[in-house]
Amino acid sequence: MNMDDLIKRVGVYAGVPVSDMKTRRGGRKTSRARQAFMYLSRHVLGETDSDIALFLGCSQQNISYQITGVEHDMRIYYSVRNMIDDIRSELEKKA
């Protein structure tokens, strides 16, 4: 699996078009999907922040900040943790 496959699967799960996830626009739903993609890219695919940044067309610092935010939100919000866990489970089933 690569980042192209992952972003498509996250988009399908979240109901967000891939084109929206690759831009900075969008509401909370799009932002959450983009953050989930960043988190899973690092923790499941083993991609570096610079690789993720290059893929999404943003800064490495932004990637680091967003992933730190997701990790924080996963400890506080069950919905965020459940979303990440559900996507991770789907990835493991299809792997």
Side-chain angles (χ1 to χ4, degrees), residues 9-59:
R9 290 184 183 184
V10 171
V12 167
Y13 177 87
V16 175
V18 170
S19 58
D20 288 356
M21 290 174 57
K22 287 188 167 187
T23 64
R24 294 184 184 183
R25 69 174 193 245
R28 178 173 285 169
K29 183 177 179 181
T30 302
S31 295
R32 285 286 184 214
R34 186 181 308 116
Q35 290 169 341
F37 166 74
M38 292 175 190
Y39 177 87
L40 291 167
S41 291
R42 182 195 279 173
H43 293 286
V44 174
L45 300 181
E47 299 289 347
T48 64
D49 290 355
S50 58
D51 290 336
I52 300 166
L54 185 63
F55 183 81
L56 293 176
C58 59
S59 71

Side-chain angles (χ1 to χ4, degrees), residues 62-74:
N62 184 39
I63 300 298
S64 180
Y65 178 79
Q66 295 295 326
I67 291 174
T68 300
V70 170
E71 291 168 342
H72 174 264
D73 289 350
M74 286 175 68

